[in-house]
Amino acid sequence: MSTPSLKGIRVIAFTWVWAGPWMGGVLADMGAEVIKVETKQRLDSQRVVKITKNPEQGPNQGQFNVTNRGVKSITLNLKQPKGLEIIKKLVKISDVIITNFAPRALPGWGLGYDTLKQIKPDIILVTLPAFGSTGPDKDYLSYGSTLEAVGGLSASFGYPGEVPVISGPYPSDPIGSMYGLVGVLAALNYRQRTGKGQHVDIAQNEGVTSLIPEVIMEEVMNGRTRPRMGNRDEIMAPHGCYPCKGRDKWVAIAVGTNDKWKALCHVMGNPDWAKDEKFSDQYARWQNQDELNKLIAGWTKDFTHYEVMQKLQKAGVAAGPSFNIEELVNDPPVKNRGIFIEQNHRVAGKTIVYRSPWKSALTAKNPPAPCLGENNDYVFKELLGINDKEIADLIETKVIY
Amino acid sequence: MFYKVLDGVKIIEYGNFISAPFCAKILADLGAEVIKIEEPCCGDESRRQAPFLQDIPGLENSGLFQYLNMNKLGVTLNPESATGLKIFTELLRSADVFVENNPPKQMKKLKLAYTKAKKINPHIIMTSITPFGQTGPYRDYESCELVSAHIGGVGYISMREGDISKEPIKLPAHLFSFQAGLSAAVATLSSIFRQSTTGLGEQLDVSEQESVIQNLNSSIARYSYAGQIMARTDAAGHAPFHILPCKDGFICAAFVEEAEWRRFVEVMGHPEWADNELFKDFALRAKYWDALKPLMVEWTMQFTEEEIYRRSQEKAVPLGAVRSAHQVLQDKQMAARQFFVEIERDGSKLTFPGVPYRFSEIKMESPSAAPLLGQHNEEIYCGRLGYHKRDLAKFKEASVI
């Protein structure tokens, strides 16, 4: 029996940008029916970022199509009383509501947890605001980069001895998504056992801090701020990224024991410099890593990053290229795992997306991300039984909008 | 435990360092019973990882270990011995979930791979976290957090001000091993939900590289739709999207909407900058960043992080203070939500990061300290499995426990 885990669970998603939508994408992979509520009054900013060569594409582009894969979309203006009435009908036949809007958004529409609970007593509401729904800063605004700053991550990110920098990939968003999913799934498990729903509130900034305990505990235990270390490690050396043949090509190498060091030296052809006392034990190598890194770079530069990886992996030394996106998508072993999926989006055309970061035989097969309001008919007619004439009126009066 | 959600769920953790221990910690925090199995000689590798309390290394002194293993029971066991394997099998027989992060080859050699685990306990969920997953040409490659970060593509897009010819760097500490553990916990929770109704288990194959890939949604969209390859650039043609110095530290000014910039120039007392031809949109500000940056810094240097953060947020500008661990520990928002927790051991209390979620229907409880090496041997082996105390002595002599 290979029914996906969440088959039969219906989720309403009030989500935008990244952290919220990626929750929806993963829930769809788990087999849930995820209905994203959108409105032309204020589009998800990721629908309109201009990442396209096709001007006809409209609000069907960019990151939206990566994170909202497998999700359904309806358009509904909740500021209209009729819109609110319709969403309440949908709540009645749903299990979970997820949102990464500001804490005031849902209560502002009259959809606070107390109201939702009256409509559907065992409803699960999972809110994922930047700083949580309680506390003095609950209304503060943020993007991924802000969360990294406030959560204590940015202060430790940067090249050794230099100023802190913005990360670039903004992992705080998918970290928020995953914690949001912990909330959804824990609450579903609890409802299964007790019949009770609940409101789970997640603070994204706390999520960031909870993933860097070394930084926090260094301060707690020794009153020290962890310095910015780039690729460096507390113990290991060499532990860095070295230049390779070609333009902007790099390979990461990490050596944690004397045996691995010997293996690395052997692959490098046992150069004389490697016999120097400065590199004779792990501590000495760590102490002299600036010089060590330069010498290793002198060896790696004559090979491609793939060649260095293969030579070192054959000798049991941890090494891998610092892949750019094109290399990563086209790397045969990565392809073999099937993490990237090529889809043909109805409007946007060829779209590369990724599945949830694990393999399970139960993962649902999902269509591309929806166009705006693509599932209006299914939700309004089939699920809620609204007739064609009413639908026409609702479109006319910009309730379905 | 923090929340009694997974009451009655039994988990065996045979994990090391970060990814599997963090996955099991999340489940333990939610009230599952986790029995952590460690090598009798020396325990989990994270016991030997800084930070150490008062800089004194010792198996029971690592802040990282204590954080990762709070709320768990700990036993020592060597499954390489026949007796050890027999005991391991007995533990697996009564478990619901088996979490591990060992090399696939090693698990096969130990006769503990999924095919065997399933024979021991047909209903088991086995969550395996490895650098590259259980399949594909990289499955037996050596890795560590550094290599995973780079081969997963986040290093190549790490941000950089100024000289972009320097090497790609990764985010601090072991962020991506933590993220892999978090993702694995999400996968496991969905499977526990299915197991509780169907009684069925499954294999969950979690790859740290794929967990890193979920941070690339902007990269993949740009590549997919515009053929662009993102690299380390100064703010990606968008400004301000920078960390800037201020009187006592740094602030993170990274805006996405033009309205946010217009509100920020008001905060800075320079509304006229909004109309300046050189600074009127994100692209132009990036182009003339060399002219704009000193003007902004002249203003930021007059104020503290906290002043700039508060003033900006009061005007709905999503700016962040770049907080040190010390400042994070003093954060009033986190304090109001009781994020940090105290755990007592040997009569003294230490502060640790807590969990980012709050459940409306379940009371938050105090967590318990991580187990000392082999602390629960007697409780588990005698109390649960029915061995006699004198058996334990023999096991110890034979290095089984």
Side-chain angles (χ1 to χ4, degrees):
Chain A
M1 200 171 96
S2 57
T3 312
S5 303
L6 299 190
K7 184 89 190 157
I9 297 292
R10 183 172 293 133
V11 179
I12 306 177
F14 297 100
T15 57
W16 60 357
V17 194
W18 185 355
W22 182 226
M23 282 177 74
V26 175
L27 287 167
D29 271 352
M30 292 172 176
E33 178 176 81
V34 182
I35 300 170
K36 179 168 165 124
V37 184
E38 303 191 74
T39 173
K40 283 181 196 162
Q41 284 216 310
R42 188 160 188 190
L43 289 173
D44 183 337
S45 63
Q46 300 310 305
R47 273 203 181 275
V48 286
V49 269
K50 293 191 184 65
I51 309 176
T52 180
K53 281 179 173 166
N54 170 14
E56 303 296 305
Q57 212 159 287
N60 296 295
Q61 49 184 279
Q63 293 160 226
F64 183 93
N65 293 347
V66 181
T67 44
N68 291 281
R69 178 182 44 86
V71 163
K72 294 184 166 81
S73 165
I74 60 170
T75 47
L76 200 57
N77 181 0
L78 298 180
K79 286 185 180 156
Q80 295 235 33
K82 278 202 173 147
L84 195 61
E85 208 177 283
I86 293 170
I87 207 71
K88 285 181 175 174
K89 280 186 191 152
L90 189 58
V91 170
K92 226 181 176 82
I93 56 166
S94 297
D95 302 284
V96 178
I97 298 169
I98 59 173
T99 182
N100 68 324
F101 290 168
R104 61 181 178 277
L106 261 63
W109 290 318
L111 291 173
Y113 175 62
D114 289 337
T115 313
L116 294 167
K117 200 164 77 171
Q118 277 168 17
I119 301 167
K120 179 104 193 320
D122 66 351
I123 197 79
I124 292 165
L125 169 67
V126 176
T127 51
L128 183 67
F131 301 99
S133 299
T134 58
D137 300 346
K138 67 178 175 8
D139 294 320
Y140 276 23
L141 306 172
S142 86
Y143 292 109
S145 46
T146 329
L147 287 170
E148 288 164 20
V150 178
L153 182 74
S154 304
S156 296
F157 179 60
Y159 292 81
E162 296 188 18
V163 293
V165 280
I166 285 180
S167 73
Y170 319 121
S172 55
D173 275 276
I175 288 167
S177 312
M178 287 294 142
Y179 268 125
L181 290 161
V182 167
V184 171
L185 294 161
L188 276 171
N189 274 292
Y190 189 76
R191 190 188 73 170
Q192 186 135 296
R193 279 188 26 239
T194 64
K196 282 187 192 166
Q198 62 192 311
H199 174 199
V200 190
D201 184 44
I202 292 136
Q204 291 193 52
N205 66 321
E206 295 175 359
V208 172
T209 307
S210 77
L211 262 60
I212 48 167
E214 301 93 325
V215 175
I216 301 299
M217 297 317 291
E218 186 71 85
E219 173 67 31
V220 170
M221 294 181 136
N222 298 308
R224 272 197 304 264
T225 301
R226 191 182 165 98
R228 291 180 277 280
M229 302 200 293
N231 289 315
R232 294 177 183 188
D233 185 66
E234 297 251 24
I235 309 170
M236 289 191 251
H239 191 275
C241 217
Y242 304 91
C244 294
K245 216 192 238 176
R247 195 174 151 265
D248 204 23
K249 301 292 178 195
W250 305 83
V251 69
I253 301 173
V255 169
T257 64
N258 278 327
D259 286 348
K260 301 282 180 191
W261 167 247
K262 278 184 201 147
L264 170 65
C265 292
H266 182 74
V267 174
M268 291 192 296
N270 290 314
D272 284 341
W273 61 259
K275 293 170 194 124
D276 196 305
E277 211 168 288
K278 281 183 289 197
F279 310 127
S280 58
D281 63 43
Q282 189 165 312
Y283 179 74
R285 288 190 290 277
W286 190 85
Q287 277 285 344
N288 299 302
Q289 58 185 308
D290 283 340
E291 194 180 339
L292 177 61
N293 285 340
K294 279 185 198 134
L295 291 161
I296 291 173
W299 174 71
T300 56
K301 70 175 175 38
D302 294 331
F303 303 97
T304 68
H305 52 17
Y306 268 109
E307 286 165 349
V308 175
M309 168 170 69
Q310 277 148 8
K311 280 171 192 286
L312 290 179
Q313 288 287 357
K314 207 181 262 177
V317 177
S322 189
F323 275 143
N324 70 33
I325 192 70
E326 184 174 48
E327 293 169 320
L328 189 58
V329 169
N330 296 300
D331 180 55
V334 171
K335 274 197 167 164
N336 178 296
R337 290 276 305 169
I339 172 79
F340 291 109
I341 304 163
E342 200 177 303
Q343 296 186 312
N344 189 15
H345 187 278
R346 187 144 72 83
V347 178
K350 185 185 131 181
T351 302
I352 305 169
V353 297
Y354 40 77
R355 59 159 163 74
S356 302
W358 53 79
K359 275 180 100 152
S360 155
L362 308 175
T363 302
K365 302 240 177 317
N366 283 316
C371 296
L372 189 63
E374 183 170 331
N375 309 97
N376 279 352
D377 275 1
Y378 163 72
V379 173
F380 298 137
K381 290 185 190 171
E382 276 184 53
L383 287 184
L384 300 177
I386 305 174
N387 68 38
D388 288 349
K389 193 191 160 296
E390 278 178 273
I391 299 252
D393 282 349
L394 291 165
I395 293 171
E396 177 73 34
T397 52
K398 291 194 171 174
V399 173
I400 295 179
Y401 181 71
Chain B
M1 136 187 75
F2 287 93
Y3 290 100
K4 212 172 179 174
V5 177
L6 299 177
D7 208 14
V9 175
K10 289 188 169 148
I11 294 171
I12 301 297
E13 177 208 308
Y14 187 48
N16 197 35
F17 207 43
I18 292 171
S19 61
F22 189 56
C23 169
K25 175 200 187 300
I26 291 168
L27 303 169
D29 290 347
L30 291 167
E33 179 196 85
V34 175
I35 300 175
K36 179 184 178 74
I37 298 175
E38 296 184 77
E39 297 301 330
C41 62
C42 32
D44 191 321
E45 209 178 310
S46 66
R47 288 184 182 272
R48 288 177 293 284
Q49 184 86 16
F52 297 107
L53 184 58
Q54 291 163 354
D55 287 321
I56 304 166
L59 294 182
E60 309 302 345
N61 255 3
S62 161
L64 177 63
F65 176 85
Q66 299 207 9
Y67 173 74
L68 280 166
N69 298 288
M70 60 176 72
N71 295 321
K72 297 179 188 175
L73 301 167
V75 297
T76 52
L77 189 63
N78 176 13
E80 280 177 39
S81 65
T83 311
L85 183 63
K86 180 173 167 276
I87 297 171
F88 206 117
T89 304
E90 287 165 19
L91 287 171
L92 280 184
R93 202 161 279 147
S94 58
D96 303 299
V97 180
F98 180 25
V99 181
E100 60 94 17
N101 63 342
N102 302 289
K105 265 186 189 164
Q106 189 191 335
M107 291 304 281
K108 199 174 168 194
K109 200 173 134 215
L110 290 171
K111 301 191 179 70
L112 289 168
Y114 179 64
T115 46
K116 295 279 184 207
K118 200 179 152 183
K119 279 191 188 131
I120 297 165
N121 179 347
H123 117 135
I124 199 95
I125 295 165
M126 181 161 170
T127 305
S128 297
I129 313 166
T130 52
F132 302 101
Q134 301 291 312
T135 63
Y138 290 155
R139 58 172 270 176
D140 296 322
Y141 270 22
E142 293 278 330
S143 192
C144 63
E145 202 256 354
L146 170 80
V147 173
S148 295
H150 285 285
I151 203 166
V154 299
Y156 198 79
I157 57 169
S158 55
M159 286 267 194
R160 171 101 194 116
E161 270 208 75
D163 176 13
I164 57 168
S165 67
K166 284 182 84 166
E167 77 277 15
I169 54 169
K170 70 170 195 77
L171 278 100
H174 300 94
L175 188 78
F176 298 109
S177 296
F178 274 96
Q179 196 182 16
L182 175 58
S183 301
V186 169
T188 308
L189 279 165
S190 86
S191 206
I192 292 173
F193 180 70
R194 172 173 176 266
Q195 188 189 49
S196 67
T197 51
T198 64
L200 298 171
E202 66 166 318
Q203 180 182 30
L204 291 165
D205 167 6
V206 185
S207 148
E208 190 158 307
Q209 183 188 28
E210 291 172 6
S211 175
V212 173
I213 286 171
Q214 73 179 310
N215 299 303
L216 302 179
N217 92 345
S218 171
S219 279
I220 194 72
R222 284 169 192 279
Y223 176 65
S224 197
Y225 292 135
Q228 281 176 23
I229 297 170
M230 276 179 80
R232 299 175 304 297
T233 53
D234 183 348
H238 188 106
F241 214 85
H242 293 82
I243 286 176
L244 297 171
C246 62
K247 200 172 170 182
D248 64 340
F250 298 90
I251 53 106
C252 172
F255 310 137
V256 174
E257 293 178 13
E258 288 294 345
E260 292 157 358
W261 166 251
R262 286 196 294 274
R263 292 198 292 272
F264 189 53
V265 294
E266 300 268 350
V267 172
M268 289 192 292
H270 287 288
E272 74 281 5
W273 291 359
D275 302 321
N276 187 317
E277 279 301 307
L278 298 186
F279 308 145
K280 77 175 180 208
D281 64 35
F282 282 116
L284 281 168
R285 288 192 292 276
K287 192 173 171 193
Y288 298 108
W289 180 241
D290 288 344
L292 177 57
K293 186 182 173 184
L295 295 175
M296 286 180 70
V297 170
E298 194 185 329
W299 182 81
T300 56
M301 289 303 287
Q302 297 170 40
F303 304 98
T304 65
E305 273 181 39
E306 207 58 20
E307 285 166 346
I308 299 173
Y309 181 44
R310 301 292 170 194
R311 281 186 185 206
S312 302
Q313 289 285 354
E314 275 158 26
K315 299 287 177 203
V317 175
L319 177 143
V322 177
R323 288 188 162 149
S324 66
H326 180 75
Q327 289 168 308
V328 172
L329 282 154
Q330 307 295 320
D331 182 48
K332 290 197 177 74
Q333 172 66 10
M334 285 175 157
R337 288 175 58 85
Q338 297 174 296
F339 171 64
F340 287 102
V341 294
E342 284 192 325
I343 296 179
E344 195 175 320
R345 173 179 282 169
D346 301 335
S348 64
K349 280 181 181 174
L350 267 189
T351 301
F352 288 88
V355 290
Y357 36 81
R358 305 289 178 277
F359 291 89
S360 67
E361 299 301 311
I362 315 168
K363 193 173 100 267
M364 179 144 75
E365 300 185 30
S366 303
S368 54
L372 306 169
L373 187 59
Q375 185 180 336
H376 302 97
N377 282 354
E378 192 179 327
E379 184 181 332
I380 302 297
Y381 297 141
C382 302
R384 301 275 180 89
L385 301 183
Y387 289 99
H388 198 273
K389 265 180 101 169
R390 63 175 178 270
D391 296 326
L392 291 197
K394 292 246 183 287
F395 291 160
K396 203 164 258 177
E397 278 167 22
S399 299
V400 171
I401 67 170

